Amino acid sequence: MRTSKSHYAGMDSMLAKADYPAAISQIENAKETSYSAKDRVVYYLDIGMLYHWNKEYEKSNEFLEQAERAIDDNFTKSLTRKASTLILNDNAQAYGGEDYEDIYVNAFKALNYLALGRNDEAFVEVRRINNKLLQLEDKHAKMARKLSEAEEAHEEFKPGKSHFQESALGRYLSMLLYRNELKWDDVRIDLEKIDKGWKLQPDIYTFDKPDFSRSTDRVFTPKARLNVIAFSGLAPDKKASTFSVYTEENVIILAGTSENYLGKQNLSGLSILPWPGVEPGYNFKFQLPHMHKRPSKVGRMEVEISNGPTENLQQLDSLANVALETFSIKKPLIYLKTVTRAVVKGLAAQQATDHMTKSMDGGMAFLTRLATTVVVSQTENADLRMSRFFPAESAIREIHLDEGIYDIKVNYYSANGALLHSDNRPGVHVEAGKLNLVESSYLN
């Protein structure tokens, strides 16, 4: 069973042109053919994010809410069945979402509510981000304990470690909401949490922290605050790494390869795992997923305001880095689970083949053994499912203006300074004493 991505054909071009209606139509048309019941989380995330980019905020939240509920439901169900279905391929099970999807779905639900003027509901969403981060490692520890109970488990399952404790995007939205209510102590706490994120999460925040000095300035009528947030690029995708398994007495040897951009396979090394009771002479293949970043053309963003300043935006968050960091928590679980499943199924299949071929002539026995290897390999394809439409990066800028109506333009430039895209927002009302948030995007 393989992960199909054919329904995404041509999608990157649509996103680069901000042709979100066409992208929505393509996903909706693929709903029955490319998203089965076990893929409902992927569908809800895909269509929910596309409706967000198309500024259909009510529809977006309808689907993102369904995605969040399905993620939670699938995880709860997986805790009750994992021990008995360790030998079931991940592709055959309901997709439970990547951790970064589960976390940032609340950020985009919050942005939807802010666009709809429903600040109280936005507050609920940003608090959910913090709650999920607190529970992240415990969530995978529970899964590890359940997997370790499986009859097929040869060693203890242990999740990876993560330093991801603070989401800059989540804390930034929280800070805006608290400041709008003049809760300055809470504003200070959120800014301190952002600072903590830069100190404790260097693998995520690999860029300079934004200048938040304007965030704590007191602004009085007729002056007003304008906050601009822009999203660029696309979050990581998954590719397959293929491993060949060879057995010796009481050990299995893994020869790993990875898929390059041409689709060829490159040898990447050997691993030896103790496996008491295994006999020498068997070989078969299986796959594991790995995440890789999708390149973005955007090197710099700026906001241009009629009768006002033009200022560069500063990077706030890297959803791409968060995706890779949080994937590393469950990666050891996926690895050991897949190795266990592949070895158990592979050995069973080849031992059965040995019994079948005892009375066959050499040619027929060879073909039978070859067919068995192909069948085992085909059942062990990597689960490459994930949403395609989260952004890679976010950037911000706060500007203080006289209240009034402004034409606002967010410009996206390449690293070489070429203008890639301009997002024009004519007639934006900037009001004193209110949260004036302009969101822009260029998913390329």
Side-chain angles (χ1 to χ4, degrees), residues 48-84:
M49 289 303 298
L50 286 174
Y51 275 124
H52 174 83
W53 301 128
N54 203 42
K55 302 180 180 61
E56 297 183 68
Y57 302 116
E58 291 276 13
K59 276 190 174 182
S60 175
N61 265 357
E62 175 188 338
F63 287 106
L64 294 182
E65 176 66 25
Q66 290 183 77
E68 186 179 16
R69 288 180 179 175
I71 288 170
D72 184 64
D73 183 51
N74 288 345
F75 178 75
T76 300
K77 289 178 179 177
S78 71
L79 285 178
T80 64
R81 69 169 183 255
K82 281 288 180 182
S84 61

Side-chain angles (χ1 to χ4, degrees), residues 3-5 8 12 42 46 95 98 100-101 234-240 259 289-295 319-320 323-324 327 383-392:
T3 303
S4 173
K5 297 184 180 181
Y8 295 126
D12 288 354
V42 185
D46 280 351
Y95 178 66
E98 290 300 325
Y100 97 95
E101 294 170 337
L234 288 165
D237 195 8
K238 288 179 186 172
K239 286 193 174 184
E259 182 180 282
H290 71 270
M291 274 194 192
H292 74 107
K293 289 185 179 181
R294 289 189 272 179
L319 282 73
L324 268 62
F327 185 66
D383 183 0
L384 306 181
R385 292 174 293 179
M386 65 188 303
S387 173
R388 298 281 292 187
F389 306 118
F390 280 90

Side-chain angles (χ1 to χ4, degrees), residues 106-121:
N106 297 109
F108 284 94
K109 287 171 68 181
L111 287 166
N112 286 336
Y113 283 127
L114 286 171
L116 294 167
R118 294 159 61 180
N119 290 10
D120 288 344
E121 286 98 328

Side-chain angles (χ1 to χ4, degrees), residues 250-419:
N250 294 323
V251 297
I252 60 174
I253 302 168
L254 306 179
T257 65
S258 61
E259 182 180 282
N260 66 19
Y261 72 102
L262 294 174
K264 307 252 178 160
Q265 299 290 325
N266 297 325
L267 189 67
S268 62
L270 298 174
S271 298
I272 299 176
L273 297 176
W275 207 273
V278 72
E279 297 178 0
Y282 296 107
N283 66 87
F284 40 88
K285 293 180 180 180
F286 67 93
Q287 290 185 331
L288 286 168
H290 71 270
M291 274 194 192
H292 74 107
K293 289 185 179 181
R294 289 189 272 179
S296 173
K297 295 181 179 179
V298 178
R300 180 176 69 87
M301 292 168 271
E302 70 176 17
V303 57
E304 182 181 333
I305 301 173
S306 61
N307 302 314
T310 296
E311 297 194 19
N312 286 328
L313 274 64
Q314 298 176 307
Q315 188 170 351
L316 171 68
D317 208 345
S318 173
L319 282 73
N321 287 349
V322 170
L324 268 62
E325 173 75 10
T326 52
F327 185 66
S328 69
I329 306 175
K330 67 177 184 180
K331 199 172 181 180
L333 303 182
I334 296 172
Y335 180 86
L336 184 55
K337 180 174 61 172
T338 307
V339 169
T340 302
R341 182 173 62 243
V343 171
V344 169
K345 291 168 69 174
L347 291 178
Q350 294 206 344
Q351 287 167 359
T353 302
D354 288 346
H355 179 73
M356 289 170 54
T357 57
K358 280 182 180 179
S359 59
M360 294 181 182
D361 61 48
M364 182 60 70
F366 170 77
L367 291 174
T368 302
R369 285 192 294 270
L370 180 62
T372 300
T373 300
V374 170
V375 169
V376 172
S377 298
Q378 286 180 340
T379 62
E380 287 306 323
N381 294 304
D383 183 0
L384 306 181
R385 292 174 293 179
M386 65 188 303
S387 173
R388 298 281 292 187
F389 306 118
F390 280 90
E393 317 289 348
S394 65
I396 56 169
R397 174 58 80 179
E398 178 167 317
I399 300 172
H400 299 165
L401 304 163
D402 290 328
E403 64 177 350
I405 300 175
Y406 296 87
D407 294 333
I408 296 174
K409 183 189 295 185
V410 180
N411 297 316
Y412 297 80
Y413 295 91
S414 70
N416 295 326
L419 179 63

Side-chain angles (χ1 to χ4, degrees), residues 7-43:
H7 55 294
Y8 295 126
M11 197 66 70
D12 288 354
S13 176
M14 296 177 199
L15 298 179
K17 294 183 288 189
D19 191 357
Y20 302 122
I24 289 169
S25 177
Q26 182 164 317
I27 294 301
E28 288 284 24
N29 290 335
K31 179 181 178 181
E32 300 301 327
T33 57
S34 298
Y35 298 94
S36 66
K38 63 185 175 58
D39 305 320
R40 60 178 179 150
V41 168
V42 185
Y43 171 74

